[in-house]
Amino acid sequence: MTSLTSRTTPEPLGSADLLVNEVVGVPAGVGAAARRARADAYDAWLARLLPDRPGVALLAVGGLGRRQCAPYADLDLVLVHAGVPGIDELAAAVWYPIWDAGLRLDHSVRTVAEALSVAQDDVKVALGLLDARFVAGDADLAGTLVSSATDHWRRTAVRQLAALRESAAARWQAHGELAHLLEGDLKEAAGGLRDVGILRAVATAGITDALRPAVHAAHLRLLDTRDALHQQIGRRADRLLAQERDGVAALLGLRRAPSGAAGGPPPGAVPPQPTDTSGQERSAPASRAEDGDGDTLLRRVAGDARTVSHALDDAFRAADRLRSGRRRGADGRPLRRPVARDVVEHDGELVLARTAIGARPDASLSLRVAAAAATTGLPIARATCEWLAAYCPPLPTPWPGEARAALTTLLGAGAGMIPAWETCDRYGLVDGWLPEWTRLRSLPQHNPVHRFTLDRHLIQTAAEASRHTRDVDRPDLLLLGALLHDVGKGLPGDHSVVGAPMAEAVATRIGLPPAEAALIGTLVRLHLLLPEVATRRDLSDPVTIARVAESVADVTTLDLLYALVRADAAATGPAAWSDWKGRLVAELVARVRITLDTGDVPAPPAPDPALVAGPLPVVHLSGDRVAVAAADRRGLLATVAGCLALHRLEVLAADASTVDGRALVQCRVQPRYGLAPDPVALSADLRRAVVGDVSVIQRLRGRALAARGNGAQPRVVWHRDAATDAVLLELRAADATGLLYRVTSALDAAGAQVRAARIATLGGDVVDAFYLVGGWPPEGERDRLEAAVLAAV
């Protein structure tokens, strides 16, 4: 037998020749049969550890208690006793062999009364005891604890679920929603395995049918995914990272679709699983990690997490109704409060008015119900969603005005829009509004700055856009543009270009006039223009401003794009925005606005007077700004960049100019590792470096040579006519300390003069733009400069 951790290639599902623990004899493998086999192995081994003694019993809780052991899961054990003497020594005789076997252990030693007392005060302990299962020792004593804990839970569940809901909400806040995360925690995130435990407790209390068949199937698939994750990486883990998805998918038998296949699964659908005649999952043929389809796995996990989350929402609402009781009027009938046309509140949920059910429903009814849910913050009753999915007629083309108004109300409701949209999506209503949504649902985004799947990113962007509706002339177009701005993702080509006609077609279908539909297409096509130009181009160059003004064309579009950019960044993740980026975008918008209003391009700002007077060198440090003036010489920008890298500062933007014979270098910086350098030491090194101090220059070169980047091959792109007095060389490469110093030094050695540089970081990569003074160089000269830059990287 071989330990799984000693192997470099994961075995296929159901591998019986591998052990995750040789001492215990715990087998590897994925699926329900493998989990039961691990539980049997643990049971047999643990039973041998407990001496045969009356009044003492060993119980398993957690995964072992449920016989759902993941390959590298912890052991959760309770040693229950009837007040027997020497219990501490007896417990040590059980726990120490477990630790010696290299297993992680969560343990407790209690009497039955102590265990029940703790369960009464701690709802998590109460839930844990519901999974308790006898392993060894006094079976009657164990049975007393299990039955008492279950009875106690059934009596107090409605009350304790309120505290459990608060605890779950805090956990969801910390871990996010599994259905929408690109790297979610299979256990702790909302919709994960921990929430299935709550559903099991709700079912035990008899509150509702929490463990309906769809939830049971989703639970088994999530367990299989965690099994495969453990087996893939050879250790305990619950977070499904992007780099592990393909390998986990291969272990689960999810292969890549043939080239050219497209389209996503319907709501809640998952890929078919290989089964044998008994209905149990069987192993798939051995496959390499690169053969696995990680995207399909992510979509399957998202569908299962949605199933769990919606069931838990239903369960908590059922518990709330039991706790508070139905509100009744003077006639004794349950109260129904109208909240919108054809929509009433009933027992804390939105349901259809009786007149709406009795009449022929109009096509906008589902949108109006969703809008009412978003604006009131009340959930839509499950039966209402099922009725709308079955009986609400499809929307005509173009949509009636009432449907468009309801969509705008829904999108503009802010945070309340997200749960309302998710509920409608779960029951297939969104596909009826937007057939394009089927392809977008749970689509992964292969970019490290994104935290959400594409569908959640789009509705999150719309929710964020609602914060800016008062800043624009057409808030309805802003909201629709936010919902559709990434509709082209997942298709070949630039998603902004590909998505523009698709978004315009959607806008036309819902009934917008041609000019407004065209504007929606423009918003989608240009939604990256402002941040890309702001971070990669010289905003003081008139050509930069003139080109953006030409693309945008009018102030209305500029305002819509500015609002969309901020909403998009907020919905993407913390790495997508910064104060520096926000200032650059705002500066760009202000300059373009002046050009659109007056027809004149704003003049570039004048140099800092403190830099053009007084003895040299001059060094100014202020917040994120570093400014240096020195005697004019070649390579000054490279020297300053290297000195900043030496002090662990990242350069975000750099400008070099010459005024009256003195060279000026001005940089915007940020600490590379979060800690600002000593300003006295930085200032001293800058002063010495710009006058050619050999000791500082040697330190710069040594640090630069030791910090070469890795990753994909770097690439150089040339841009003609992108500046007034320069050509633009754009470098796309892996980020590394001292990269700007090396590249500017290489360009200086090759005879090029750099007057400005802009650095945009995208995850682990950078896009560095260098403005080279002069006209468009001939092909041979471009090849020579390009080779020098690539050699420096």
Side-chain angles (χ1 to χ4, degrees):
M1 294 292 186
T2 305
S3 171
L4 178 63
T5 55
S6 69
R7 304 183 70 96
T8 57
T9 303
E11 291 291 321
L13 287 96
S15 297
D17 61 332
L18 292 179
L19 298 178
V20 295
N21 189 289
E22 293 182 344
V23 175
V24 183
V26 178
V30 177
R35 290 190 287 274
R36 289 193 297 271
R38 284 189 285 272
D40 290 341
Y42 280 126
D43 284 358
W45 183 70
L46 290 170
R48 295 194 295 270
L49 299 181
L50 182 67
D52 187 9
R53 189 170 176 181
V56 179
L58 184 65
L59 291 89
V61 293
L64 180 57
R66 297 185 298 272
R67 296 176 58 80
Q68 294 170 349
C69 301
Y72 292 93
D74 299 347
L75 290 184
D76 297 317
L77 300 174
V78 177
L79 189 64
V80 63
H81 64 96
V84 298
I87 191 62
D88 291 340
E89 293 78 6
L90 183 61
V94 176
W95 306 149
Y96 276 95
I98 297 174
W99 289 323
D100 291 342
L103 297 170
R104 295 164 59 102
L105 174 65
D106 187 2
H107 60 89
S108 62
V109 180
R110 295 184 176 116
T111 65
V112 171
E114 290 170 344
L116 295 176
S117 176
V118 174
Q120 186 168 353
D121 297 330
D122 189 334
V123 67
K124 294 181 181 178
V125 174
L127 256 66
L129 289 179
L130 296 180
D131 296 328
R133 181 175 60 83
F134 170 72
V135 174
D138 190 330
D140 291 338
L141 181 64
T144 298
L145 175 59
V146 171
S147 60
S148 298
T150 302
D151 290 343
H152 173 266
W153 174 253
R154 287 172 175 160
R155 291 194 308 271
T156 64
V158 173
R159 173 178 55 81
Q160 294 209 71
L161 277 174
L164 185 58
R165 188 175 196 170
E166 292 181 4
S167 173
R171 171 168 51 83
W172 300 336
Q173 181 67 29
H175 295 279
E177 299 175 69
L178 182 58
H180 308 295
L181 292 173
L182 297 173
E183 294 186 332
D185 190 305
L186 297 170
K187 183 177 181 180
E188 302 293 346
L193 294 169
R194 184 78 73 185
D195 284 352
V196 178
I198 299 177
L199 288 172
R200 192 164 43 248
V202 171
T204 300
I207 294 174
T208 184
D209 58 337
L211 290 178
R212 44 188 180 262
V215 174
H216 179 69
H219 180 212
L220 291 180
R221 287 189 291 267
L222 289 174
L223 288 172
D224 289 350
T225 302
R226 187 174 63 172
D227 288 353
L229 177 60
H230 282 206
Q231 187 158 318
Q232 166 70 13
I233 64 178
R235 58 181 172 81
R236 179 183 181 274
D238 293 316
R239 190 178 178 198
L240 182 59
L241 299 177
Q243 64 262 30
E244 308 296 348
R245 281 202 299 261
D246 285 350
V248 172
L251 287 169
L252 293 171
L254 302 176
R255 309 290 195 295
R256 294 191 181 279
S259 179
V270 294
Q273 304 299 303
T275 58
D276 59 26
T277 55
S278 66
Q280 297 293 327
E281 293 188 14
R282 59 178 174 82
S283 64
S287 57
R288 300 172 303 169
E290 56 267 30
D291 294 332
D293 188 345
D295 288 0
T296 296
L297 171 63
L298 189 65
R299 284 184 137 157
R300 188 177 89 165
V301 168
D304 291 336
R306 278 189 170 106
T307 297
V308 172
S309 290
H310 281 274
L312 190 55
D313 287 344
D314 290 344
F316 278 140
R317 291 202 296 271
D320 288 343
R321 288 194 294 271
L322 284 175
R323 184 171 57 252
S324 60
R326 287 188 169 186
R327 292 181 298 168
R328 298 180 180 274
D331 59 357
R333 299 176 63 182
L335 289 176
R336 295 168 64 90
R337 178 176 66 90
V339 297
R341 185 166 72 87
D342 297 330
V343 185
V344 298
E345 177 191 356
H346 178 70
D347 275 348
E349 297 178 327
L350 294 187
V351 300
L352 294 175
R354 296 185 179 93
T355 53
I357 296 175
R360 178 181 176 85
D362 68 84
S364 66
L365 181 59
S366 61
L367 275 165
R368 291 191 284 109
V369 172
T375 54
T376 62
L378 294 171
I380 309 172
R382 175 179 165 191
T384 299
C385 291
E386 293 171 344
W387 190 95
L388 290 170
Y391 299 110
C392 191
L395 286 159
T397 301
W399 287 13
E402 191 172 25
R404 288 195 303 277
L407 178 63
T408 300
T409 301
L410 171 62
L411 298 179
M417 170 259 194
I418 296 173
W421 186 280
E422 286 297 325
T423 298
C424 293
D425 191 27
R426 183 65 189 165
Y427 289 91
L429 301 178
V430 174
D431 288 350
W433 309 335
L434 300 172
E436 296 81 1
W437 204 255
T438 301
R439 182 180 59 80
L440 305 176
R441 182 180 295 106
S442 303
L443 186 67
Q445 302 196 78
H446 301 285
N447 188 308
V449 301
H450 277 281
R451 57 179 171 171
F452 292 135
T453 54
L454 180 56
D455 57 336
R456 177 55 183 272
H457 172 68
L458 292 176
I459 61 173
Q460 188 74 41
T461 304
E464 297 290 346
S466 67
R467 302 173 183 268
H468 305 288
T469 52
R470 297 183 181 181
D471 301 334
V472 298
D473 293 336
R474 290 298 303 272
D476 56 332
L477 300 186
L478 169 62
L479 295 169
L480 184 60
L483 181 69
L484 300 175
H485 74 281
D486 277 345
V487 71
K489 281 190 174 179
L491 299 174
D494 182 335
H495 77 279
S496 301
V497 176
V498 172
M502 299 174 62
E504 188 171 344
V506 172
T508 300
R509 188 170 70 240
I510 69 174
L512 292 185
E516 295 178 6
L519 181 51
I520 292 294
T522 299
L523 294 179
V524 172
R525 179 169 50 84
L526 299 181
H527 76 272
L528 296 177
L529 175 68
L530 297 181
E532 287 186 349
V533 171
T535 57
R536 302 182 190 179
R537 297 295 182 263
D538 181 4
L539 302 188
S540 66
D541 193 314
V543 170
T544 300
I545 305 304
R547 289 199 167 180
V548 174
E550 181 182 3
S551 298
V552 173
D554 57 69
V555 172
T556 295
T557 304
L558 177 66
D559 288 340
L560 287 168
L561 285 173
Y562 186 33
L564 177 55
V565 162
R566 289 175 286 170
D568 188 12
T572 296
W577 198 252
S578 64
D579 291 341
W580 168 78
K581 190 172 184 178
R583 289 196 301 270
L584 286 180
V585 173
E587 180 183 349
L588 173 61
V589 170
R591 288 175 171 271
V592 172
R593 186 186 304 279
I594 292 173
T595 301
L596 292 172
D597 285 340
T598 68
D600 298 326
V601 177
D608 185 346
L611 298 178
V612 297
L616 298 176
V618 179
V619 175
H620 283 174
L621 307 179
S622 177
D624 64 351
R625 180 174 174 268
V626 175
V628 176
D632 190 15
R633 67 176 179 85
R634 296 189 65 86
L636 185 63
L637 175 58
T639 300
V640 172
C643 195
L644 295 174
L646 194 64
H647 287 263
R648 295 181 173 84
L649 286 173
E650 290 181 334
V651 178
L652 305 174
D655 292 289
S657 59
T658 303
V659 178
D660 297 332
R662 61 172 61 198
L664 311 181
V665 176
Q666 302 181 73
C667 301
R668 294 287 181 178
V669 299
Q670 68 180 11
R672 189 171 187 87
Y673 301 110
L675 295 176
D678 179 2
V680 176
L682 173 60
S683 180
D685 275 352
L686 282 169
R687 291 176 185 277
R688 290 198 298 268
V690 298
V691 297
D693 187 310
V694 175
S695 64
V696 178
I697 301 300
Q698 288 176 341
R699 288 165 59 199
L700 298 182
R701 291 173 178 168
R703 177 68 63 86
L705 291 174
R708 300 277 172 163
N710 299 309
Q713 290 296 316
R715 181 185 174 204
V716 168
V717 178
W718 292 87
H719 296 274
R720 191 172 190 170
D721 300 328
T724 304
D725 59 350
V727 295
L728 198 63
L729 182 153
E730 196 172 78
L731 170 65
R732 302 171 184 178
D735 192 14
T737 301
L739 178 62
L740 180 62
Y741 168 68
R742 296 198 303 273
V743 174
T744 50
S745 296
L747 287 170
D748 180 64
Q753 180 182 351
V754 180
R755 75 157 174 82
R758 296 292 181 271
I759 293 84
T761 303
L762 305 171
D765 291 342
V766 292
V767 179
D768 292 354
F770 299 91
Y771 285 76
L772 309 183
V773 175
W776 183 249
E779 182 177 357
E781 179 69 3
R782 295 199 306 274
D783 291 343
R784 187 178 69 85
L785 292 174
E786 183 173 330
V789 168
L790 294 176
V793 175

